[in-house]
Amino acid sequence: MEQAGEQALSSVVWHPNTQMGEWDEFGEIVQGRGMHLIDKKGRKLLDGVASMWCNVWGHSRPELVRAITRQAARLQHSPLFNLTNGPAEELARMLIETIPGMHRVFYSDNGSTAMEVAFKMAIQYWSNEGDSGRNRIAALSNGYHGDTFGAMSVGYMPGFFGAFKGQLFPAVRFDAPGGREAPGGPTDKEIEEECLGNMEERFADGTIAALAMESGAQVAGGVRIYPRGFQRRVSRICKRHGVLLILDEVATGLGRLGSMAEYEAQGGRPDIAAYGKMLTGGYLTMSATLATKKVYDSFLGGYDENRHLFHGHTYTGNPLAAAAAIENLRMYKRRNLLDKVAKGARVLGGYTEEISGMGRVSDVRHAGMLMGIELSRGAPKGGPSTNKIIFEAGRRNGVYLRTLGDVVMLVPPLAMGPADLRRLVEGTVRAVREAPLDG
Ligand SMILES: Cc1ncc(COP(=O)(O)O)c(C=O)c1O
C-alpha cells in the first residue's frame, strides 16, 4: 500500500538526501555531453553542480573514456592486499609530486571514507607514539566531512544528522569565521580571533589528537570562505601544541578554489590531507588520504606490535579509477586547467555584485569555481522544499541546480568556459527570480 505523502513513483531507487515523498518523477539522464546532462525527454541541462562537485572536463570526454576502456581491457581490478598494480602506483607518485609535503597515499572510495581514514590515522598515530590519551578530534562548527559515522561525528550538521546524535563520538568544536555577519552579532574578525583564542586554550591540555577542517572554505556548510590568513594561523596553533592538522580538500582541492593543494594558497601545513571528487575527473569513484613521513613512519614496526593501519576496502586502489585519475591529472597540466579556473573565477566573481543586489538574495560568497547564493526567502510552509523548487525552476531555465539549505550552490565543472558560465549564472538568476518561494 502507498504510504502517506508517497506519490506513484516509477523510480525504485532510494535517492540520496531526498524526501522521496515530495517527488513524483526524477528526470532520467540518458547521456552526458560536454557541460550538459541530457534527459530521456531530450532536455539539456547545463551541469551547474559538476554532478555533485566532481566533474572537471565535462561529460564523455574522449581522453578519459579511452583511458578507462584501455585499462578495462587489461586489468579491471586487483587488490592492494599483498599485491599492487601499476596505475595505483603511478597515481600515488603523481599525487606525492603534486601535493607538497606528503609522503604516502592511502586509497579509498569516496570523500567520507578518505576522512574516516584520516581520523583513524590520527588517532592511531598517537597510540603508536604511546600517547593514547591524545584521542579527541577537534573540528570547526559548520564543517562537513561526509555521511558515515566518523564523518558525521566530526562534521556534525544539526539539520542533517540530529537523529544520529546519541551514537556519534564527541568532537571538540570551534565556531569558525567566513559566514554572513548577522546584524548586531560579532564581526567575522571577532569570530576569527575568538576561534583562534579558544583553540590555543583548548589544545593546551594535550588530549587533542588532530584538528580536522575543510581547506579554504566550508562548502556544504553554506559556502563559507575563510578570511585570508585564517588557515595559516590555525596551522601554526596546531604545530605549537603538537596537534595533527587534517585538511579536507575533497571539495576544495585539485583546482576548485584555484590551486592543486589549496593549503599551499592558504599557508597551512597539514599532516594528513584528503582528496576525492575531482580526482578522477568525475568519471569513477576514488579518493586518497595523503600522509607526511612523520605520520607514516609511526606505523612502521614488527607485525606483532600492531602498529600498522587497520583499514582497507575491497576496491582500494582500483586500477580503472586510477587510470582515469592519471589521465585527468595529465590533462590538468597539458590543458593548463588552473589558468581556465582563474578565468572562470573572474567570470563568476564578476556577477557577485549584481546577484547580491537581487531581491530574495541575502548574501553571495565566491571563491574560485565556487559560489553560494544565500536566499532570504524559503519554501512556503507545508509544500515542496527549497531545493525542489529551485531545481525545477533551474530545469525550466536549462540549468541543473541543487541547493543546500537556503544556499543555491554553483559548483560548475572546472573547465567550464566563459560562455557556458554566463549561461549558467544567468539561468540561475532567472530561476531564483521565478521560483515560487515565500514572498
Ligand atoms: C569537504 C567534503 N568532505 C567530504 C565529503 C564527502 O564526500 P563523499 O560524498 O564523496 O563521501 C564531501 C562531500 O560533499 C565534502 O564536501
Side-chain angles (χ1 to χ4, degrees):
M1 210 174 78
E2 223 170 78
Q3 290 297 305
E6 194 174 37
Q7 318 276 340
L9 186 60
S10 58
S11 175
V12 289
V13 175
W14 192 340
H15 288 250
N17 288 312
T18 298
Q19 173 43 261
M20 295 296 288
E22 73 167 350
W23 294 81
D24 51 14
E25 58 111 6
F26 292 96
E28 185 180 329
I29 298 302
V30 292
Q31 200 184 354
R33 199 188 302 140
M35 299 295 159
H36 289 88
L37 294 167
I38 301 166
D39 76 10
K40 216 172 176 175
K41 295 181 180 162
R43 287 179 293 207
K44 272 176 73 184
L45 293 176
L46 192 55
D47 190 350
V49 289
S51 290
M52 286 324 284
W53 319 347
C54 63
N55 191 286
V56 176
W57 302 101
H59 299 273
S60 311
R61 184 84 186 194
E63 299 94 312
L64 290 166
V65 173
R66 265 199 305 275
I68 295 166
T69 46
R70 221 183 290 126
Q71 184 58 41
R74 195 182 176 91
L75 172 68
Q76 88 298 335
H77 184 59
S78 73
L80 291 191
F81 298 87
N82 298 349
L83 296 169
T84 194
N85 70 68
E89 291 291 341
E90 184 176 350
L91 175 61
R93 262 179 239 112
M94 287 171 89
L95 285 170
I96 288 165
E97 270 167 30
T98 308
I99 310 295
M102 294 296 156
H103 183 65
R104 283 288 189 276
V105 175
F106 193 98
Y107 290 116
S108 58
D109 304 323
N110 55 66
S112 308
T113 55
M115 289 306 291
E116 297 287 341
V117 170
F119 307 142
K120 286 177 70 174
M121 273 180 186
I123 290 170
Q124 199 182 329
Y125 168 86
W126 286 111
S127 164
N128 288 348
E129 293 295 297
D131 189 355
S132 37
R134 254 199 201 264
N135 55 13
R136 308 287 304 271
I137 304 285
L140 301 183
S141 308
N142 251 312
Y144 175 77
H145 302 292
D147 286 351
T148 49
F149 268 81
M152 288 194 293
S153 301
V154 178
Y156 181 69
M157 308 194 70
F160 293 4
F161 303 141
F164 310 105
K165 193 170 180 190
Q167 315 307 321
L168 303 179
F169 66 72
V172 174
R173 237 171 287 283
F174 301 95
D175 286 342
R180 176 166 57 90
E181 288 181 359
T187 63
D188 214 37
K189 189 71 199 155
E190 286 165 347
I191 296 172
E192 178 178 354
E193 294 308 320
E194 191 174 344
C195 174
L196 297 170
N198 289 342
M199 275 181 193
E200 196 77 72
E201 210 173 288
R202 186 64 185 75
F203 287 179
D205 77 354
T207 63
I208 308 291
L211 171 80
M213 63 189 276
E214 285 157 87
S215 190
Q218 295 183 322
V219 184
V223 184
R224 298 160 66 102
I225 317 260
Y226 305 139
R228 185 177 287 278
F230 172 66
Q231 195 161 315
R232 179 193 306 274
R233 295 175 74 193
V234 171
S235 177
R236 284 197 187 132
I237 295 173
C238 288
K239 294 283 167 292
R240 208 160 32 247
H241 293 280
V243 169
L244 298 178
L245 177 60
I246 299 172
L247 288 181
D248 181 344
E249 299 226 341
V250 168
T252 50
L254 301 182
R256 172 64 60 198
L257 299 189
S259 305
M260 294 304 281
E262 178 56 27
Y263 63 74
E264 267 203 298
Q266 300 286 334
R269 276 204 297 125
D271 300 282
I272 299 169
Y275 296 85
K277 293 204 185 273
M278 282 92 49
L279 181 59
T280 65
Y283 281 62
L284 286 167
T285 178
M286 174 175 249
S287 60
T289 309
L290 278 61
T292 57
K293 186 166 187 322
K294 173 180 106 170
V295 170
Y296 174 75
D297 282 351
S298 85
F299 286 78
L300 300 176
Y303 175 76
D304 46 11
E305 288 178 71
N306 277 345
R307 298 173 73 93
H308 57 282
L309 182 62
F310 285 88
H311 198 95
H313 295 286
T314 308
Y315 284 101
T316 292
N318 174 253
L320 285 183
I326 291 166
E327 180 57 23
N328 177 42
L329 294 182
R330 285 192 186 133
M331 286 171 71
Y332 269 61
K333 278 198 184 149
R334 214 164 55 232
R335 303 195 157 267
N336 299 320
L337 183 76
L338 296 186
D339 292 349
K340 290 188 204 303
V341 168
K343 209 176 198 178
R346 283 195 294 277
V347 174
L348 274 186
Y351 283 96
T352 308
E353 218 170 292
E354 181 190 329
I355 303 174
S356 309
M358 277 175 72
R360 303 183 148 198
V361 170
S362 51
D363 198 20
V364 178
R365 296 182 286 277
H366 161 253
M369 288 288 264
L370 171 70
M371 180 178 260
I373 303 171
E374 191 170 326
L375 302 174
S376 54
R377 300 270 184 267
K381 278 252 167 308
S385 58
T386 303
N387 169 56
K388 186 159 191 280
I389 292 173
I390 293 289
F391 165 75
E392 283 171 352
R395 185 161 65 177
R396 286 192 294 277
N397 284 283
V399 293
Y400 170 44
L401 300 174
R402 184 163 168 90
T403 61
L404 269 168
D406 51 4
V407 178
V408 182
M409 312 288 292
L410 288 185
V411 197
L414 295 182
M416 188 179 273
D420 277 336
L421 281 171
R422 282 192 199 99
R423 272 192 280 275
L424 172 64
V425 179
E426 284 157 21
T428 304
V429 164
R430 280 196 302 276
V432 168
R433 240 184 227 129
E434 288 169 15
L437 297 170
D438 213 3

